[in-house]
Amino acid sequence: MESPSRGGVFSEGTDSRVEQFAESISFDRRLYQHDIRGSQAHARMLADQGLITDAECESICGALDEIRLELDNGTLPMRIELEDIHMHVEQALIDRLGDVGRKLHTARSRNDQVSTDFRMWVREALRETDQLLLELQRAFLGRCEADFDVILPAYTHLQRAQPVLAPHYWLAYVEKFQRDRERIADCIKRVNQCSLGVAAVAGTSLPIDRQQTAAALDFDGITRNSLDTSSDRDFVLESAFVLSVIATHLSGWAEEWILWSTVEYGFIKCPHAFCTGSSIMPQKVNPDVLELTRGKSARVMGNLQTLVLLTKGLPLAYNRDLQEDKPPLFDSFDTIQSCLQLAAPLVAGTELQRERIAAGIEDGYLDATTLMEHMIRAGMPQRRAHHLVGAIVGEAMQRRVSLSELPLDVLQQHAPELDGSVREVLGSRNAIEAFQSEGSTAPERVREQIQYWTTALGDKG
Ligand code: ARG
């Protein structure tokens, strides 16, 4: 069968090797629902504009419903010579309706068709991703009350730095995923502009109504410049970037929890349902879900790179290269969604090793900075206080004790200004209580933030 797009200008059929090489039906089949919805909206607009009759529109829309069912059931035969999903649907329509089917492609090109289909698919995938991010945020938030009294070390340079409340950690991730959700919302604004009616590149001389199809397909508006639109894949790049940032957040979190689940850290125990064993070492419980989350992030970042390279250096407007944009973006969405689907239950089901954490929480002089600030509050210049606390920590290290275990007279040898009130800031618990600033780990502040997020994330929806 000859493809509907090969007109009389061709003197021979397509080489079968070219058909193999150029097909996209193997992956753009995924757009079929959007393609059919777009075609039905287009047919109604054509009828309203008098370009086809109402009866023709009814037959086209009815036949498209049947074709959708066949695609749902997998009974529509896939033919490589039909290249892509657009031609499969159109040919199936022509097979049913003959010349009436041949009218659907009036004032339309596959160039605006594929862009419209993909925009609809992408906006849906972005919304699903947003919902999965919300569920992950809720999983972190859901731990905050129960873990409120647990103090963990905060690290910089992966060296112990200052004490923080466990919920401060959980809410740090809620913040990161919130920014991801904001990026999604912003990205959707540009994704959700309708390209239909741009036709191949310059628009059409036929009296179409682009606003009507845009509204019927729930777009926020129409794209302005046909030449730009025919070439534009910014919405694909942006989505791939948004997904890459999510990947960096997931990967960093996974790395942290892999470390935390080691014997060396001993902070957490992942649910066994999310771990695997070793075929040779019977004692092993490996955090594979976290490792794969870290590992799969590479694919998402690689896909962004692929898409940036794909679209650089293309002259206006549509070029067939653009067909290659779908596999990487599909893969990025699939990968991120599969990671997010496991992340939420993993976060909810992980246990803090409270005793292990508490046993080590006075290691690493997490209260040194708070001691310095205590001296600053009493009027000492910061640089001097910093120097003196450094010397006090050095002395404590030599004696193999914590700061709170140093006798007052030893502290006073270093800083005669100190008195008994210093005890109020020494030790991780006291250091936590001493914090004040907005955004800090002060229990008051963390409470406020839990309250804020509880309201912001709601129960549902
Ligand atoms: N399968 C094509 C794609 O994904 C559809 C557009 C084809 N347009 C064309 N002028 N050959 O880009």
Side-chain angles (χ1 to χ4, degrees):
M1 179 205 346
E2 197 45 89
S3 142
S5 72
R6 285 173 77 86
V9 74
F10 285 87
S11 59
E12 57 182 351
T14 313
D15 188 306
S16 64
R17 289 166 301 188
V18 173
E19 284 177 350
Q20 277 293 341
F21 184 70
E23 67 84 23
S24 57
I25 187 63
S26 53
F27 52 86
D28 64 18
R29 192 182 183 284
R30 248 177 122 153
L31 301 175
Y32 78 90
Q33 287 169 331
H34 308 86
D35 195 71
I36 288 174
R37 187 177 167 204
S39 287
Q40 290 177 328
H42 183 66
R44 278 188 202 107
M45 182 278 291
L46 291 178
D48 289 350
Q49 294 302 110
L51 289 163
I52 60 175
T53 66
D54 284 341
E56 285 168 340
C57 171
E58 291 317 312
S59 334
I60 289 172
C61 290
L64 287 170
D65 281 336
E66 290 167 23
I67 295 164
R68 185 197 284 111
L69 273 181
E70 288 196 8
L71 281 155
D72 285 342
N73 305 332
T75 49
L76 190 82
M78 295 292 130
R79 304 189 190 125
I80 208 152
E81 68 275 16
L82 289 175
E83 266 183 38
D84 57 26
I85 187 59
H86 324 295
M87 302 241 268
H88 275 79
V89 172
E90 190 183 351
Q91 187 59 54
L93 190 70
I94 293 169
D95 290 347
R96 280 175 166 72
L97 304 181
D99 269 351
V100 173
R102 288 190 183 91
K103 293 190 174 186
L104 173 64
H105 213 52
T106 302
R108 187 177 76 169
S109 149
R110 278 185 295 156
N111 297 352
D112 59 341
Q113 195 179 349
V114 69
S115 162
T116 305
D117 293 358
F118 205 21
R119 284 169 183 271
M120 286 194 276
W121 188 92
V122 170
R123 78 181 173 194
E124 219 169 275
L126 285 170
R127 286 173 188 150
E128 285 163 16
T129 307
D130 180 69
Q131 184 61 32
L132 290 169
L133 285 166
L134 171 62
E135 278 155 31
L136 179 54
Q137 286 182 302
R138 285 185 179 149
F140 275 112
L141 179 64
R143 301 194 59 105
C144 287
E145 281 302 331
D147 297 340
F148 196 85
D149 55 332
V150 177
I151 299 174
L152 285 164
Y155 296 82
T156 62
H157 313 266
L158 201 55
Q159 304 288 322
R160 286 195 167 210
Q162 292 183 283
V164 293
L165 293 174
H168 205 50
Y169 260 105
W170 309 156
L171 294 181
Y173 286 106
V174 170
E175 296 280 352
K176 290 183 195 300
F177 295 123
Q178 183 66 19
R179 288 194 298 276
D180 291 332
R181 295 182 60 207
E182 288 168 15
R183 264 183 287 276
I184 285 179
D186 194 63
C187 183
I188 286 177
K189 288 186 211 159
R190 285 171 296 278
V191 172
N192 206 28
Q193 299 296 325
C194 191
S195 359
L196 200 60
V198 155
V201 61
T204 172
S205 58
L206 295 166
I208 59 168
D209 182 349
R210 291 190 61 199
Q211 304 289 349
Q212 177 181 336
T213 38
L217 297 173
D218 295 319
F219 281 100
D220 294 331
I222 64 169
T223 60
R224 276 186 296 265
N225 179 308
S226 66
L227 194 54
D228 168 47
T229 305
S230 167
S231 70
D232 175 28
R233 287 297 187 280
D234 291 8
F235 70 97
V236 178
L237 298 187
E238 271 191 70
S239 303
F241 172 73
V242 166
L243 293 168
S244 290
V245 181
I246 298 172
T248 64
H249 291 154
L250 286 172
S251 185
W253 159 72
E255 166 68 7
E256 186 166 276
W257 277 30
I258 290 165
L259 289 171
W260 285 13
S261 64
T262 59
V263 169
E264 285 73 10
Y265 278 78
F267 291 178
I268 56 171
K269 216 166 116 191
C270 295
H272 279 186
F274 287 73
C275 298
T276 64
S278 153
S279 53
I280 181 168
M281 297 168 286
Q283 85 285 11
K284 294 296 292 295
V285 180
N286 296 324
D288 299 45
V289 170
L290 291 168
E291 293 171 277
L292 285 169
T293 298
R294 184 179 58 190
K296 283 171 191 280
S297 68
R299 294 233 303 263
V300 178
M301 295 161 194
N303 290 336
L304 172 61
Q305 182 81 341
T306 299
L307 288 163
V308 170
L309 292 173
L310 174 70
T311 47
K312 81 168 187 62
L314 292 181
L316 295 178
Y318 176 84
N319 291 279
R320 189 64 181 272
D321 314 46
L322 295 177
Q323 179 170 291
E324 291 287 313
D325 66 348
K326 274 152 227 82
L329 195 65
F330 285 153
D331 182 60
S332 285
F333 273 111
D334 291 345
T335 304
I336 286 296
Q337 292 188 353
S338 68
C339 291
L340 289 171
Q341 267 151 10
L342 288 186
L346 180 69
V347 165
T350 290
E351 279 172 42
L352 278 177
Q353 304 286 81
R354 288 161 171 261
E355 284 177 22
R356 245 324 269 287
I357 295 166
I361 201 61
E362 299 306 334
D363 294 346
Y365 305 99
L366 299 168
D367 48 356
T369 308
T370 329
L371 171 59
M372 178 191 74
E373 289 175 349
H374 175 78
M375 291 155 104
I376 292 170
R377 254 197 308 277
M380 191 181 290
Q382 191 270 346
R383 287 293 170 210
R384 196 168 117 74
H386 183 280
H387 183 80
L388 291 182
V389 173
I392 291 169
V393 170
E395 170 115 30
M397 281 172 164
Q398 265 182 1
R399 294 173 178 240
R400 297 176 183 282
V401 294
S402 67
L403 295 183
S404 54
E405 286 164 342
L406 282 175
L408 183 59
D409 62 307
V410 174
L411 290 168
Q412 284 170 331
Q413 279 161 24
H414 291 276
E417 300 88 336
L418 288 175
D419 60 28
S421 68
V422 70
R423 297 269 168 246
E424 288 161 22
V425 298
L426 293 181
S428 289
R429 170 53 63 186
N430 286 338
I432 288 276
E433 302 291 339
F435 281 102
Q436 297 190 22
S437 58
E438 282 185 82
S440 76
T441 195
E444 277 280 302
R445 299 300 191 184
V446 175
R447 283 239 168 271
E448 282 164 18
Q449 289 178 24
I450 294 173
Q451 201 43 56
Y452 169 80
W453 284 113
T454 304
T455 309
L457 302 182
D459 276 330
K460 289 261 169 301

mmCIF file of all heavy atoms in Angstrom, residues 112-142:
data_model
loop_
_atom_site.group_PDB
_atom_site.id
_atom_site.type_symbol
_atom_site.label_atom_id
_atom_site.label_comp_id
_atom_site.label_asym_id
_atom_site.label_seq_id
_atom_site.Cartn_x
_atom_site.Cartn_y
_atom_site.Cartn_z
ATOM 1 N N ASP A 112 2.414 20.352 12.362
ATOM 2 C CA ASP A 112 1.667 20.934 13.489
ATOM 3 C C ASP A 112 0.944 19.844 14.278
ATOM 4 O O ASP A 112 0.757 19.954 15.488
ATOM 5 C CB ASP A 112 0.698 22.050 13.046
ATOM 6 C CG ASP A 112 -0.343 21.612 12.028
ATOM 7 O OD1 ASP A 112 -0.134 20.575 11.370
ATOM 8 O OD2 ASP A 112 -1.366 22.323 11.876
ATOM 9 N N GLN A 113 0.622 18.755 13.586
ATOM 10 C CA GLN A 113 -0.083 17.661 14.251
ATOM 11 C C GLN A 113 0.795 17.015 15.329
ATOM 12 O O GLN A 113 0.376 16.835 16.467
ATOM 13 C CB GLN A 113 -0.459 16.622 13.191
ATOM 14 C CG GLN A 113 -1.487 15.619 13.632
ATOM 15 C CD GLN A 113 -1.827 14.641 12.502
ATOM 16 O OE1 GLN A 113 -1.439 14.844 11.348
ATOM 17 N NE2 GLN A 113 -2.541 13.597 12.842
ATOM 18 N N VAL A 114 2.037 16.696 14.965
ATOM 19 C CA VAL A 114 2.902 16.015 15.934
ATOM 20 C C VAL A 114 3.228 16.947 17.096
ATOM 21 O O VAL A 114 3.275 16.524 18.260
ATOM 22 C CB VAL A 114 4.193 15.452 15.273
ATOM 23 C CG1 VAL A 114 5.142 16.540 14.817
ATOM 24 C CG2 VAL A 114 4.896 14.501 16.216
ATOM 25 N N SER A 115 3.420 18.211 16.797
ATOM 26 C CA SER A 115 3.725 19.162 17.867
ATOM 27 C C SER A 115 2.537 19.271 18.832
ATOM 28 O O SER A 115 2.705 19.265 20.058
ATOM 29 C CB SER A 115 4.071 20.511 17.238
ATOM 30 O OG SER A 115 3.974 21.532 18.185
ATOM 31 N N THR A 116 1.322 19.330 18.280
ATOM 32 C CA THR A 116 0.130 19.429 19.135
ATOM 33 C C THR A 116 -0.046 18.159 19.974
ATOM 34 O O THR A 116 -0.292 18.230 21.181
ATOM 35 C CB THR A 116 -1.130 19.658 18.264
ATOM 36 O OG1 THR A 116 -0.911 20.815 17.453
ATOM 37 C CG2 THR A 116 -2.360 19.867 19.116
ATOM 38 N N ASP A 117 0.094 17.004 19.315
ATOM 39 C CA ASP A 117 -0.051 15.740 20.047
ATOM 40 C C ASP A 117 0.950 15.663 21.201
ATOM 41 O O ASP A 117 0.607 15.283 22.318
ATOM 42 C CB ASP A 117 0.231 14.550 19.118
ATOM 43 C CG ASP A 117 -0.812 14.373 18.024
ATOM 44 O OD1 ASP A 117 -1.784 15.152 17.990
ATOM 45 O OD2 ASP A 117 -0.634 13.445 17.203
ATOM 46 N N PHE A 118 2.187 16.011 20.869
ATOM 47 C CA PHE A 118 3.253 15.867 21.858
ATOM 48 C C PHE A 118 3.046 16.849 23.011
ATOM 49 O O PHE A 118 3.254 16.521 24.175
ATOM 50 C CB PHE A 118 4.610 16.074 21.179
ATOM 51 C CG PHE A 118 5.768 15.401 21.896
ATOM 52 C CD1 PHE A 118 5.568 14.333 22.782
ATOM 53 C CD2 PHE A 118 7.077 15.826 21.670
ATOM 54 C CE1 PHE A 118 6.639 13.722 23.429
ATOM 55 C CE2 PHE A 118 8.145 15.209 22.307
ATOM 56 C CZ PHE A 118 7.935 14.166 23.189
ATOM 57 N N ARG A 119 2.604 18.062 22.678
ATOM 58 C CA ARG A 119 2.334 19.034 23.743
ATOM 59 C C ARG A 119 1.248 18.504 24.697
ATOM 60 O O ARG A 119 1.350 18.648 25.915
ATOM 61 C CB ARG A 119 1.902 20.377 23.149
ATOM 62 C CG ARG A 119 3.056 21.192 22.572
ATOM 63 C CD ARG A 119 2.531 22.369 21.758
ATOM 64 N NE ARG A 119 3.596 23.142 21.126
ATOM 65 C CZ ARG A 119 4.228 24.168 21.697
ATOM 66 N NH1 ARG A 119 3.895 24.544 22.918
ATOM 67 N NH2 ARG A 119 5.184 24.811 21.071
ATOM 68 N N MET A 120 0.231 17.881 24.126
ATOM 69 C CA MET A 120 -0.832 17.330 24.993
ATOM 70 C C MET A 120 -0.282 16.202 25.854
ATOM 71 O O MET A 120 -0.599 16.074 27.033
ATOM 72 C CB MET A 120 -2.007 16.835 24.147
ATOM 73 C CG MET A 120 -2.855 17.957 23.581
ATOM 74 S SD MET A 120 -4.443 17.354 22.940
ATOM 75 C CE MET A 120 -3.983 16.836 21.302
ATOM 76 N N TRP A 121 0.550 15.359 25.226
ATOM 77 C CA TRP A 121 1.129 14.234 25.982
ATOM 78 C C TRP A 121 2.031 14.753 27.099
ATOM 79 O O TRP A 121 1.954 14.297 28.243
ATOM 80 C CB TRP A 121 1.924 13.317 25.039
ATOM 81 C CG TRP A 121 2.364 12.054 25.724
ATOM 82 C CD1 TRP A 121 1.694 10.883 25.762
ATOM 83 C CD2 TRP A 121 3.553 11.863 26.513
ATOM 84 N NE1 TRP A 121 2.389 9.953 26.518
ATOM 85 C CE2 TRP A 121 3.526 10.538 26.985
ATOM 86 C CE3 TRP A 121 4.614 12.684 26.870
ATOM 87 C CZ2 TRP A 121 4.538 10.004 27.793
ATOM 88 C CZ3 TRP A 121 5.617 12.164 27.680
ATOM 89 C CH2 TRP A 121 5.571 10.830 28.132
ATOM 90 N N VAL A 122 2.877 15.736 26.767
ATOM 91 C CA VAL A 122 3.849 16.245 27.736
ATOM 92 C C VAL A 122 3.147 16.928 28.910
ATOM 93 O O VAL A 122 3.517 16.725 30.073
ATOM 94 C CB VAL A 122 4.862 17.206 27.052
ATOM 95 C CG1 VAL A 122 5.714 17.939 28.081
ATOM 96 C CG2 VAL A 122 5.757 16.434 26.076
ATOM 97 N N ARG A 123 2.101 17.720 28.620
ATOM 98 C CA ARG A 123 1.442 18.416 29.740
ATOM 99 C C ARG A 123 0.830 17.394 30.706
ATOM 100 O O ARG A 123 0.855 17.576 31.926
ATOM 101 C CB ARG A 123 0.422 19.441 29.250
ATOM 102 C CG ARG A 123 -0.881 18.849 28.793
ATOM 103 C CD ARG A 123 -1.874 19.875 28.274
ATOM 104 N NE ARG A 123 -3.002 19.154 27.712
ATOM 105 C CZ ARG A 123 -3.927 19.676 26.935
ATOM 106 N NH1 ARG A 123 -3.889 20.951 26.615
ATOM 107 N NH2 ARG A 123 -4.908 18.929 26.478
ATOM 108 N N GLU A 124 0.312 16.306 30.155
ATOM 109 C CA GLU A 124 -0.264 15.270 31.007
ATOM 110 C C GLU A 124 0.824 14.594 31.841
ATOM 111 O O GLU A 124 0.658 14.377 33.041
ATOM 112 C CB GLU A 124 -0.897 14.216 30.098
ATOM 113 C CG GLU A 124 -2.198 13.649 30.563
ATOM 114 C CD GLU A 124 -2.802 12.836 29.419
ATOM 115 O OE1 GLU A 124 -3.477 13.448 28.567
ATOM 116 O OE2 GLU A 124 -2.562 11.606 29.363
ATOM 117 N N ALA A 125 1.930 14.282 31.202
ATOM 118 C CA ALA A 125 3.036 13.622 31.912
ATOM 119 C C ALA A 125 3.607 14.546 32.986
ATOM 120 O O ALA A 125 3.987 14.092 34.070
ATOM 121 C CB ALA A 125 4.115 13.209 30.917
ATOM 122 N N LEU A 126 3.649 15.845 32.698
ATOM 123 C CA LEU A 126 4.137 16.793 33.712
ATOM 124 C C LEU A 126 3.188 16.817 34.904
ATOM 125 O O LEU A 126 3.620 16.849 36.057
ATOM 126 C CB LEU A 126 4.287 18.200 33.108
ATOM 127 C CG LEU A 126 5.500 18.418 32.189
ATOM 128 C CD1 LEU A 126 5.390 19.767 31.467
ATOM 129 C CD2 LEU A 126 6.823 18.350 32.954
ATOM 130 N N ARG A 127 1.885 16.795 34.619
ATOM 131 C CA ARG A 127 0.908 16.821 35.728
ATOM 132 C C ARG A 127 1.005 15.548 36.571
ATOM 133 O O ARG A 127 0.905 15.594 37.797
ATOM 134 C CB ARG A 127 -0.511 17.011 35.189
ATOM 135 C CG ARG A 127 -0.750 18.440 34.712
ATOM 136 C CD ARG A 127 -2.103 18.588 34.027
ATOM 137 N NE ARG A 127 -2.220 19.925 33.424
ATOM 138 C CZ ARG A 127 -2.924 20.199 32.345
ATOM 139 N NH1 ARG A 127 -3.612 19.259 31.730
ATOM 140 N NH2 ARG A 127 -2.962 21.430 31.863
ATOM 141 N N GLU A 128 1.200 14.416 35.909
ATOM 142 C CA GLU A 128 1.369 13.163 36.668
ATOM 143 C C GLU A 128 2.619 13.220 37.533
ATOM 144 O O GLU A 128 2.617 12.772 38.681
ATOM 145 C CB GLU A 128 1.537 11.969 35.705
ATOM 146 C CG GLU A 128 0.274 11.502 35.027
ATOM 147 C CD GLU A 128 0.595 10.630 33.803
ATOM 148 O OE1 GLU A 128 1.749 10.148 33.662
ATOM 149 O OE2 GLU A 128 -0.320 10.447 32.987
ATOM 150 N N THR A 129 3.680 13.775 36.959
ATOM 151 C CA THR A 129 4.940 13.873 37.709
ATOM 152 C C THR A 129 4.756 14.778 38.919
ATOM 153 O O THR A 129 5.257 14.491 40.010
ATOM 154 C CB THR A 129 6.059 14.415 36.782
ATOM 155 O OG1 THR A 129 6.096 13.610 35.604
ATOM 156 C CG2 THR A 129 7.411 14.386 37.463
ATOM 157 N N ASP A 130 4.018 15.862 38.726
ATOM 158 C CA ASP A 130 3.738 16.772 39.832
ATOM 159 C C ASP A 130 3.016 16.041 40.965
ATOM 160 O O ASP A 130 3.337 16.198 42.141
ATOM 161 C CB ASP A 130 2.897 17.951 39.331
ATOM 162 C CG ASP A 130 2.575 18.920 40.447
ATOM 163 O OD1 ASP A 130 3.502 19.590 40.916
ATOM 164 O OD2 ASP A 130 1.399 18.984 40.871
ATOM 165 N N GLN A 131 2.056 15.222 40.603
ATOM 166 C CA GLN A 131 1.297 14.475 41.612
ATOM 167 C C GLN A 131 2.216 13.494 42.365
ATOM 168 O O GLN A 131 2.125 13.363 43.590
ATOM 169 C CB GLN A 131 0.142 13.720 40.913
ATOM 170 C CG GLN A 131 -0.786 12.974 41.845
ATOM 171 C CD GLN A 131 -1.512 13.872 42.846
ATOM 172 O OE1 GLN A 131 -1.828 15.026 42.561
ATOM 173 N NE2 GLN A 131 -1.750 13.354 44.064
ATOM 174 N N LEU A 132 3.122 12.861 41.648
ATOM 175 C CA LEU A 132 4.055 11.931 42.294
ATOM 176 C C LEU A 132 5.020 12.676 43.222
ATOM 177 O O LEU A 132 5.372 12.182 44.293
ATOM 178 C CB LEU A 132 4.844 11.142 41.241
ATOM 179 C CG LEU A 132 4.027 10.119 40.451
ATOM 180 C CD1 LEU A 132 4.825 9.587 39.262
ATOM 181 C CD2 LEU A 132 3.598 8.961 41.348
ATOM 182 N N LEU A 133 5.416 13.879 42.801
ATOM 183 C CA LEU A 133 6.286 14.686 43.671
ATOM 184 C C LEU A 133 5.545 15.071 44.943
ATOM 185 O O LEU A 133 6.109 15.049 46.034
ATOM 186 C CB LEU A 133 6.748 15.951 42.932
ATOM 187 C CG LEU A 133 7.837 15.754 41.872
ATOM 188 C CD1 LEU A 133 7.955 16.991 40.989
ATOM 189 C CD2 LEU A 133 9.188 15.449 42.519
ATOM 190 N N LEU A 134 4.268 15.426 44.782
ATOM 191 C CA LEU A 134 3.443 15.774 45.948
ATOM 192 C C LEU A 134 3.378 14.592 46.914
ATOM 193 O O LEU A 134 3.510 14.757 48.133
ATOM 194 C CB LEU A 134 2.047 16.195 45.484
ATOM 195 C CG LEU A 134 0.995 16.396 46.578
ATOM 196 C CD1 LEU A 134 1.406 17.506 47.538
ATOM 197 C CD2 LEU A 134 -0.374 16.730 45.962
ATOM 198 N N GLU A 135 3.207 13.397 46.372
ATOM 199 C CA GLU A 135 3.134 12.223 47.252
ATOM 200 C C GLU A 135 4.459 11.999 47.984
ATOM 201 O O GLU A 135 4.476 11.625 49.157
ATOM 202 C CB GLU A 135 2.726 10.981 46.455
ATOM 203 C CG GLU A 135 1.207 10.931 46.277
ATOM 204 C CD GLU A 135 0.762 10.127 45.062
ATOM 205 O OE1 GLU A 135 1.455 9.169 44.688
ATOM 206 O OE2 GLU A 135 -0.276 10.483 44.470
ATOM 207 N N LEU A 136 5.554 12.262 47.303
ATOM 208 C CA LEU A 136 6.864 12.123 47.961
ATOM 209 C C LEU A 136 7.040 13.194 49.039
ATOM 210 O O LEU A 136 7.517 12.915 50.147
ATOM 211 C CB LEU A 136 7.982 12.202 46.917
ATOM 212 C CG LEU A 136 9.411 12.089 47.460
ATOM 213 C CD1 LEU A 136 9.588 10.819 48.308
ATOM 214 C CD2 LEU A 136 10.418 12.094 46.310
ATOM 215 N N GLN A 137 6.609 14.418 48.739
ATOM 216 C CA GLN A 137 6.671 15.473 49.762
ATOM 217 C C GLN A 137 5.859 15.058 50.988
ATOM 218 O O GLN A 137 6.290 15.237 52.127
ATOM 219 C CB GLN A 137 6.085 16.777 49.211
ATOM 220 C CG GLN A 137 6.970 17.492 48.207
ATOM 221 C CD GLN A 137 6.314 18.789 47.755
ATOM 222 O OE1 GLN A 137 5.191 18.777 47.237
ATOM 223 N NE2 GLN A 137 6.976 19.902 47.937
ATOM 224 N N ARG A 138 4.695 14.493 50.732
ATOM 225 C CA ARG A 138 3.842 14.080 51.863
ATOM 226 C C ARG A 138 4.493 12.966 52.664
ATOM 227 O O ARG A 138 4.310 12.876 53.879
ATOM 228 C CB ARG A 138 2.473 13.638 51.356
ATOM 229 C CG ARG A 138 1.620 14.806 50.949
ATOM 230 C CD ARG A 138 0.237 14.316 50.575
ATOM 231 N NE ARG A 138 -0.604 15.434 50.193
ATOM 232 C CZ ARG A 138 -1.578 15.368 49.309
ATOM 233 N NH1 ARG A 138 -1.840 14.225 48.707
ATOM 234 N NH2 ARG A 138 -2.295 16.416 49.022
ATOM 235 N N ALA A 139 5.235 12.105 51.991
ATOM 236 C CA ALA A 139 5.918 11.022 52.715
ATOM 237 C C ALA A 139 6.974 11.605 53.659
ATOM 238 O O ALA A 139 7.097 11.193 54.815
ATOM 239 C CB ALA A 139 6.546 10.042 51.721
ATOM 240 N N PHE A 140 7.715 12.605 53.176
ATOM 241 C CA PHE A 140 8.712 13.246 54.049
ATOM 242 C C PHE A 140 8.011 13.987 55.184
ATOM 243 O O PHE A 140 8.384 13.869 56.346
ATOM 244 C CB PHE A 140 9.582 14.224 53.251
ATOM 245 C CG PHE A 140 10.763 13.565 52.566
ATOM 246 C CD1 PHE A 140 10.829 13.465 51.183
ATOM 247 C CD2 PHE A 140 11.817 13.055 53.314
ATOM 248 C CE1 PHE A 140 11.918 12.873 50.550
ATOM 249 C CE2 PHE A 140 12.919 12.455 52.702
ATOM 250 C CZ PHE A 140 12.966 12.360 51.309
ATOM 251 N N LEU A 141 6.987 14.765 54.820
ATOM 252 C CA LEU A 141 6.261 15.529 55.835
ATOM 253 C C LEU A 141 5.635 14.596 56.867
ATOM 254 O O LEU A 141 5.636 14.886 58.065
ATOM 255 C CB LEU A 141 5.177 16.387 55.158
ATOM 256 C CG LEU A 141 4.311 17.230 56.085
ATOM 257 C CD1 LEU A 141 5.144 18.279 56.815
ATOM 258 C CD2 LEU A 141 3.183 17.921 55.304
ATOM 259 N N GLY A 142 5.151 13.466 56.391
ATOM 260 C CA GLY A 142 4.484 12.508 57.268
ATOM 261 C C GLY A 142 5.391 11.940 58.354
ATOM 262 O O GLY A 142 4.900 11.400 59.351
#
